[in-house]
Amino acid sequence: MTDADSRRDCANAIRVLSMDAVQKAKSGHPGAPMGMADIAEVLWRDFLSHNPGNPDWFNRDRFVLSNGHGSMLIYSLLHLSGYALPMSELENFRQLHSATPGHPEYGDTPGVETTTGPLGQGLANAVGMAVAEKTLAAQFNRDGHGVIDHYTYVFAGDGCLMEGISHEVCSLAGTLKLGKLILLYDDNGISIDGEVAEWFSDDTAKRFESYGWQVLAVDGHDSTAIAAAIAAAQGEPGKPTLISCKTVIGFGSPGKGGTAATHGAPLGEDEVAAVREELGWPHAPFVMPEEIRAAWDATEKGFAAESAWKEKLVAYEEAYPELAMELVRRIKGELPGEFNAKAEAYIQQCQETEDNIASRKASQNCIEAFGALLPELIGGSADLTGSNLTTWSGSMPVTRDAGGNYIYYGVREFGMTAMASGIALHGGFIPYTATFLIFMEYARNAVRMAALMKQHSILVYTHDSIGQGEDGPTHQPIEQLTALRATPNMSVWRPCDNVESAVAWKAALERNTGPTALVFSRQGIPHQARDSEQLANISRGAYVLKDCDGTPDVIVIATGSEVQICVEAVGRLQSEGVAARLVSMPSADVFEAQDQDYRDAVLPPSVRNRVAVEAAAVDYWHKWVGMDSQIIGMRSFGASAPGGVLMEHFGFTVDAVVAAAKG
């Protein structure tokens, strides 16, 4: 058997496993795995540095299947290479609670680096991973001690490159000179609707050349050419590389290969049989010859690669013990031991300082305080740094210093948010991003994906309401807070002053099970007086800020800049003999997670006369006030005028709150 024959047999193993799994499930996408099998065989057997025995080995190469509908490709690769993904899981493809879901899901399958499916986002995650690798290497590597040194490989199809996010992140990847990012493009000319030439006629090579990428083109079924191209990509350290691989979708299918019929449906029993004959594959479904298994098995090679790295790490620890300790801490994702005490001291300081400032400015003060404690913080803004206030005295752009900690993302909200997930997935950093709250809409799906993947990213959103003023309704968020709060596993904070902002930032930094959205005002808001119990209770999401004697006649609930209006309104109600309580609720989800006794103490179930006040969509608040209570909020889009004028125009006044409380 020649080497070419052996390679083709190994690639054919991917093809048959993929088509058989899709056929058994009666759903799925066999075309991409069959078409990309030759590319995958070369990459995974000849180049990819990974350890099936330890999928989390930190210095492994990252592999991202951005065209995630081709999930059986990666499942086949993981199974064949020796990961803890038995054949029974491939046979259970797309079934409930299997480790082989319809699209790759981070956390469900050992070896899957990120959740993919929404096209283009895997590519964006990969750009973030490559940023993390380059930046972490610059921060920790020393001469003769390259402890962070790995590649990020991406498979992507036509659909990924049609999505606008691919432009956002690939443009930035070129600017950032991510030489260890290698994109293998499955140029098969087919999408769900058929031949893409009718709707995708870009000159892809020129497009990527204009981004500052190295561009190579190969026959995607020529193993020798593929290997040479990957080697050439590794040999260009100053540019990311696009390898355009011309392939046949559904390669090996005599009746359907090269057509959209293989894209998103099983081949059918007759065609599956025809593929076996075409490929010369006599084995039954889900039966793998031992010689093929042996050729694929990467467990010994992977163990040796990780062992060699561990030896490097030992030498690094001996030469640079403090750096090594810091690197290990960051790899583990642990905050410094002194963080909690210093953060609490900072919160106390904010309470004593009594700054009357916009919460976006309070946020910047937090970044200044916490940035000095957390070298793992890496921030950025989508061309709104001066408005979002996301830099601090220690900020260094990665474009000026590869070991920096700040990314000027440009006007790329979607790409920025997905890249931040990639940075978090890579490890070693806590990323924060920023834009106006309204422009969360551009990034909405990446926000959702961060929550789905439980990634530790911090989403800073400023200019949080109609109070942002003159820019008008195009820039004034209405429904965005509701969208964020309705997203599973998304924590949302809208602080009312400098102190709540500090508590929110601390919570976001400590929450490593999902993203946190921090929502801040453009306009100045006053500091609120609190006793020690109130200060401690901010971290519980909601607390009594202003109380009355005995059982309240009415409870007013508010967030953000509207809290001060309600402070004045509750004061007036009390002066008029109304037993009124004010609850500040900076984080409804955190409050909802508290024990029932605490929640009932803050919002007694017997008190049904409640008023919610927030300069955002009203509907969310029914869950807290009921259908029979009052909500002062937005029932329309905003308008262009000074913020104070708008707040009064739309009814966010003391008089309105008092009137609502009195019924």
Side-chain angles (χ1 to χ4, degrees):
M1 180 182 292
T2 67
D3 180 64
D5 290 334
S6 176
R7 284 192 177 279
R8 182 53 57 88
D9 283 346
C10 286
N12 286 343
I14 297 171
R15 294 185 170 102
V16 294
L17 283 175
S18 298
M19 75 173 184
D20 286 341
V22 172
Q23 190 64 36
K24 187 173 187 296
K26 296 182 172 57
S27 73
H29 299 76
M34 296 173 74
M36 300 189 78
D38 295 308
I39 308 166
E41 184 271 329
V42 173
L43 176 63
W44 276 64
R45 291 183 66 226
D46 291 9
F47 292 94
L48 194 72
S49 181
H50 64 121
N51 182 9
N54 180 16
D56 297 326
W57 168 37
F58 194 77
N59 200 49
R60 68 192 182 278
D61 290 338
R62 272 54 170 186
F63 173 78
V64 174
L65 183 71
S66 189
N67 47 342
H69 55 270
S71 56
M72 271 308 305
L73 174 67
I74 193 167
Y75 300 149
S76 299
L77 289 165
L78 294 169
H79 170 76
L80 291 166
S81 297
Y83 285 78
L85 190 69
M87 187 68 84
S88 58
E89 291 291 351
L90 273 62
E91 294 184 70
N92 208 28
F93 178 54
R94 288 189 160 220
Q95 305 309 301
L96 185 63
H97 304 315
S98 76
T100 50
H103 290 79
E105 301 283 346
Y106 175 78
D108 284 3
T109 314
V112 168
E113 300 283 2
T114 182
T115 299
T116 57
L119 293 176
Q121 283 202 68
L123 174 54
N125 296 156
V127 174
M129 294 174 186
V131 168
E133 190 276 340
K134 182 176 180 178
T135 304
L136 202 65
Q139 292 179 357
F140 284 97
N141 288 353
R142 297 294 184 268
D143 287 346
H145 296 277
V147 289
I148 305 297
D149 182 13
H150 54 265
Y151 290 91
T152 301
Y153 297 98
V154 193
F155 279 9
D158 295 296
C160 291
L161 298 192
M162 289 184 224
E163 289 284 1
I165 192 173
S166 71
H167 166 75
E168 294 184 26
V169 300
C170 292
S171 168
L172 187 56
T175 300
L176 297 177
K177 298 179 170 53
L178 302 178
K180 289 186 175 178
L181 173 65
I182 300 173
L183 167 59
L184 294 111
Y185 163 40
D186 183 27
D187 182 14
N188 62 35
I190 299 291
S191 68
I192 292 174
D193 282 349
E195 296 183 9
V196 302
E198 290 188 51
W199 51 85
F200 184 53
S201 59
D202 301 15
D203 188 327
T204 301
K206 288 183 179 178
R207 171 184 164 189
F208 276 79
E209 286 170 357
S210 75
Y211 295 154
W213 288 54
Q214 175 181 222
V215 177
L216 306 172
V218 298
D219 177 345
H221 303 296
D222 183 337
S223 300
T224 302
I226 296 164
I230 297 172
Q234 293 183 341
E236 174 49 88
K239 294 180 179 180
T241 296
L242 169 74
I243 304 175
S244 184
C245 304
K246 197 66 180 177
T247 63
V248 177
I249 191 171
F251 183 95
S253 173
K256 297 183 178 181
T259 74
T262 67
H263 187 285
L267 298 180
E269 295 293 349
D270 290 345
E271 189 66 13
V272 165
V275 170
R276 279 184 155 78
E277 184 174 350
E278 179 77 11
L279 299 179
W281 189 270
H283 314 289
F286 306 108
V287 173
M288 193 56 55
E290 285 303 316
E291 62 269 21
I292 299 293
R293 288 195 174 279
W296 267 108
D297 190 353
T299 53
E300 291 187 10
K301 184 179 178 182
F303 179 82
E306 183 174 357
S307 298
W309 179 75
K310 286 180 175 178
E311 291 178 4
K312 285 186 176 182
L313 194 59
V314 169
Y316 182 73
E317 289 171 344
E318 292 174 352
Y320 303 97
E322 291 184 2
L323 272 177
M325 287 180 61
E326 179 69 2
L327 176 61
V328 170
R329 179 188 71 79
R330 287 173 60 173
I331 288 174
K332 291 180 177 179
E334 298 173 348
L335 295 176
E338 72 276 12
F339 173 77
N340 184 70
K342 290 186 176 181
E344 288 295 332
Y346 177 71
I347 292 167
Q348 182 65 45
Q349 177 188 324
C350 289
Q351 186 62 43
E352 295 169 357
T353 304
E354 300 184 7
D355 286 333
N356 299 317
I357 53 178
S359 56
R360 62 171 175 155
K361 179 59 182 175
S363 170
Q364 185 177 42
N365 293 343
C366 294
I367 297 170
E368 181 73 34
F370 297 141
L373 304 175
L374 301 173
E376 57 263 50
L377 266 185
I378 183 165
S381 169
D383 203 47
L384 288 168
T385 293
S387 295
N388 299 144
L389 302 182
T390 43
T391 53
W392 61 291
S393 62
S395 291
M396 175 57 68
V398 297
T399 47
R400 300 173 195 171
D401 183 339
N405 58 6
Y406 197 81
I407 303 170
Y408 288 99
Y409 283 99
V411 187
R412 298 181 175 98
E413 296 89 356
F414 192 5
M416 170 183 71
T417 308
M419 282 177 61
S421 287
I423 292 170
L425 284 160
H426 179 277
F429 293 99
I430 301 174
Y432 66 93
T433 59
T435 186
F436 289 177
L437 178 56
I438 188 65
F439 299 134
M440 180 275 291
E441 295 293 345
Y442 279 124
R444 177 74 186 99
N445 199 255
V447 171
R448 183 178 190 270
M449 293 292 285
L452 177 63
M453 293 191 287
K454 303 177 181 178
Q455 288 309 295
H456 191 187
S457 57
I458 300 172
L459 313 173
V460 175
Y461 297 120
T462 69
H463 297 59
D464 66 351
S465 73
I466 58 170
Q468 83 105 327
E470 291 89 344
D471 283 337
T474 62
H475 283 54
Q476 293 163 3
I478 303 296
E479 70 275 26
Q480 284 66 41
L481 274 168
T482 297
L484 287 167
R485 289 167 175 153
T487 303
N489 197 42
M490 173 64 68
S491 190
V492 183
W493 288 80
R494 187 176 184 239
C496 79
D497 69 354
N498 61 325
V499 181
E500 287 190 359
S501 297
V503 174
W505 258 104
K506 179 176 182 288
L509 290 164
E510 291 177 334
R511 184 177 188 257
N512 59 9
T513 55
T516 301
L518 303 178
V519 182
F520 299 115
S521 72
R522 175 195 185 191
Q523 70 273 28
I525 48 181
H527 171 87
Q528 299 297 331
R530 298 175 182 85
D531 61 26
S532 59
E533 183 178 5
Q534 290 171 315
L535 183 62
N537 284 338
I538 297 173
S539 64
R540 306 186 78 168
Y543 62 103
V544 179
L545 181 60
K546 192 174 181 67
D547 210 1
C548 57
D549 294 329
T551 302
D553 297 321
V554 61
I555 299 175
V556 179
I557 310 169
T559 78
S561 56
E562 292 75 74
V563 167
Q564 177 59 28
I565 298 168
C566 296
V567 167
E568 297 173 28
V570 167
R572 184 190 296 182
L573 287 164
Q574 291 177 348
S575 71
E576 296 175 1
V578 179
R581 169 182 288 183
L582 172 60
V583 172
S584 177
M585 190 179 286
S587 180
D589 62 277
V590 172
F591 177 65
E592 202 163 6
Q594 303 303 306
D595 62 86
Q596 190 67 52
D597 287 346
Y598 179 77
R599 285 183 283 152
D600 288 350
V602 175
L603 297 175
S606 61
V607 183
R608 301 308 308 158
N609 185 17
R610 301 179 181 182
V611 180
V613 185
E614 186 177 64
V618 300
D619 285 349
Y620 169 79
W621 285 100
H622 288 294
K623 71 181 291 182
W624 297 108
V625 303
M627 299 300 293
D628 55 346
S629 292
Q630 300 294 311
I631 303 171
I632 298 174
M634 294 297 296
R635 292 174 169 83
S636 70
F637 295 114
S640 180
V645 173
L646 291 173
M647 295 297 277
E648 183 172 358
H649 174 75
F650 285 101
F652 299 96
T653 65
V654 173
D655 289 345
V657 177
V658 170
K662 290 181 175 180

